[in-house]
């Protein structure tokens, strides 16, 4: 099971005030165009005029515990995208999963330590769907209550130091 620990790093919330850099803006426009032509199966981007925040509908894959269920992901991009991973959370209600906290925070290495600028929103979505699909049981992480209690006041999941030690679900 994945476990978060308190971060000793200064707060690094995703910047909302700063505009996207030219690199980030071009990259996101390219990804959005590719998404419109060839969206990943089971996902729908809710079109808005805000390139810095995407809301994506996630449909549970057929034949899994999440069949027939739909969830919403919120993807926030900083001015440093794609060099820095976007902040990705599930909006309420978050799916019951051993690596998804009830506040929507997701413990998935590619969103933090294993991020690569070669990754895209589509690849993130496919990884999240794969994680959901491989779950043998709908349950919260064992430390859900403690973690959520410590994340009050809108703390970003990027402020958490995650321990990735369970890749079975």
């Amino acid at each position: 099971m994945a476990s978060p620990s308190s971060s000793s790093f200064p707060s690094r919330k995703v910047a909302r005030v700063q505009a996207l850099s030219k690199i980030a803006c071009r990259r996101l426009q390219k990804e959005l165009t590719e998404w419109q032509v060839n969206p990943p199966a089971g996902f729908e981007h809710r079109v808005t005029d805000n390139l810095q925040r995407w809301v994506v509908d996630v449909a549970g894959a057929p034949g899994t515990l999440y069949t027939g269920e739909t969830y919403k992901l919120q993807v926030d991009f900083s001015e440093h995208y794609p060099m820095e991973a976007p902040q990705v959370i599930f909006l309420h209600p978050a799916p019951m999963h051993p690596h998804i906290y009830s506040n929507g925070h997701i413990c998935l290495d590619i969103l933090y330590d294993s991020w690569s600028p070669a990754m895209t929103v589509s690849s993130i979505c496919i990884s999240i769907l794969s994680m959901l699909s491989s779950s043998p049981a709908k349950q919260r992480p064992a430390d859900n209550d403690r973690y959520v209690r410590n994340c009050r006041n809108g703390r970003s999941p990027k402020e958490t130091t995650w321990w990735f030690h369970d890749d079975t679900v």
Side-chain angles (χ1 to χ4, degrees):
M1 174 159 341
S3 300
S5 69
S6 296
S7 176
S8 59
F9 301 106
S11 177
R12 289 186 33 205
K13 291 190 179 186
V14 174
R16 302 276 174 261
V17 179
Q18 296 177 330
L20 290 171
S21 67
K22 286 183 181 179
I23 292 170
C25 192
R26 277 194 299 258
R27 169 68 179 267
L28 285 169
Q29 287 172 337
K30 179 182 177 194
E31 286 191 44
L32 185 56
T33 299
E34 289 174 5
W35 183 296
Q36 290 167 336
V37 172
N38 187 26
F43 296 91
E44 183 179 331
H45 174 250
R46 294 175 161 254
V47 179
T48 69
D49 60 355
N50 185 352
L51 195 58
Q52 206 163 356
R53 172 174 283 172
W54 292 20
V55 176
V56 177
D57 289 338
V58 182
T64 70
L65 295 175
Y66 303 93
T67 301
E69 297 178 14
T70 303
Y71 300 97
K72 291 182 184 356
L73 282 174
Q74 179 175 293
V75 185
D76 291 310
F77 303 94
S78 78
E79 65 178 318
H80 303 292
Y81 184 78
M83 299 311 292
E84 180 180 292
Q87 175 180 286
V88 182
I89 62 169
F90 277 99
L91 297 177
H92 187 76
M96 295 280 291
H97 186 279
H99 298 307
I100 302 171
Y101 290 83
S102 59
N103 64 357
H105 291 192
I106 305 165
C107 183
L108 180 63
D109 62 348
I110 65 163
L111 300 178
Y112 311 102
D113 299 348
S114 296
W115 172 255
S116 164
M119 294 178 183
T120 64
V121 177
S122 290
S123 65
I124 291 168
C125 288
I126 291 166
S127 293
I128 289 172
L129 187 60
S130 175
M131 182 181 79
L132 283 173
S133 298
S134 66
S135 183
K138 288 185 176 184
Q139 62 189 39
R140 290 282 178 229
D143 60 342
N144 181 75
D145 293 342
R146 180 187 55 80
Y147 176 76
V148 171
R149 188 173 47 252
N150 290 331
C151 284
R152 291 204 175 120
N153 301 321
R155 183 173 140 195
S156 166
K158 290 183 159 228
E159 294 178 62
T160 300
T161 301
W162 298 96
W163 295 330
F164 306 106
H165 53 85
D166 176 12
D167 61 359
T168 60
V169 292

